[in-house]
Amino acid sequence: VCLRGISMAAKKIVLMLSFPRDEVGNQLLTEDQLDEAGIDPYSKVMSLEEYRELFGENKHPFTGVDYLAYYGEVIEAAGAEVEIVLANHATEILNYTDKVINCDIHTRKRTRRILKDAGATVLGMDEILNAPVDGSGFNSKYGLLGSNKSTEDSVKLFPESCEDVVLGIQKSILDKTGKCVEVLVYGDGAFKDPVGKIWELADPVVSPAYTPGLEGTPNELKLKYLADNDFKELSGEELREAISARIKEKDDNLVGKMETEGTTPRRLTDLIGSLCDLTSGSGDKGTPVVHIQGYFDNYTN
């Protein structure tokens, strides 16, 4: 929908894509195909015609879509001429145009800086609909980033100002039950599929809003490390008691300590949001409430 809307406003679109995969891992080619063709993706620039001559049609292994053909069809159906280029250096686009919409997500600030330094006029997807237009929806921080197709002509934007929602849910549950429940709003999880190689996070962040208790990172000991090193002479109940005591005595900040090596060095919101996304999916389950219990328990509980 976004590509069609942009194309409707232009006479010609030069669509430049990275290869062999896009930013979140959707593949146009495999690394093996590049190796067999003797192509260095960091220096090579390919036209669509050269790509077809070398590699033919390549459909996505899960969706069955040839994305180069699909994107071209979307642009042409909107009334614009299309030229597709494959390259991995942002400045390559300046050989075709100096007016650029950079559509990457997690590398957008660097891409924008590089292009502006090279003299381009650049607009990011996060700068489109970051304020209302004639009463439209908007996302002040992310614009069109994180949007999803709603109808053939409209998108649903990434959540805006949902801090009051999570705090309101937390307060409502506390008032009714006396229990303090942490709450977050989540979108895409941050994990990589080992088969399709897709890195799921196509949203700008995993969680746009969460209650204060979810701030920070895990502060955990690696039990296998303790069992195999500090307490390698112990077993059974003695080992369990020794590990339990170490957990109870651990520092509030274990950063840099060897006994934490191998634990998950990620933010709590990214971990919990990914768990929620894996549970709910994005298809016909709808948009459920995911209730997680025991997440902050440890071996001593």
Side-chain angles (χ1 to χ4, degrees), residues 124-144:
M125 294 287 278
D126 55 335
E127 297 174 301
I128 302 174
L129 280 184
N130 59 358
V133 177
D134 297 331
S136 71
F138 68 99
N139 186 295
S140 58
K141 190 172 184 179
Y142 299 117
L144 283 175

Side-chain angles (χ1 to χ4, degrees), residues 70-110:
Y70 174 67
Y71 293 151
E73 291 166 3
V74 169
I75 294 169
E76 289 177 337
E81 181 185 351
V82 59
E83 182 174 359
I84 295 177
V85 180
L86 284 80
N88 287 311
H89 292 286
T91 51
E92 184 63 33
I93 192 66
L94 301 182
N95 291 318
Y96 304 86
T97 179
D98 62 355
K99 295 177 176 60
V100 182
I101 298 177
N102 72 295
C103 302
D104 46 345
I105 306 164
H106 308 294
T107 55
R108 63 187 182 276
K109 293 181 181 179
R110 179 173 182 266

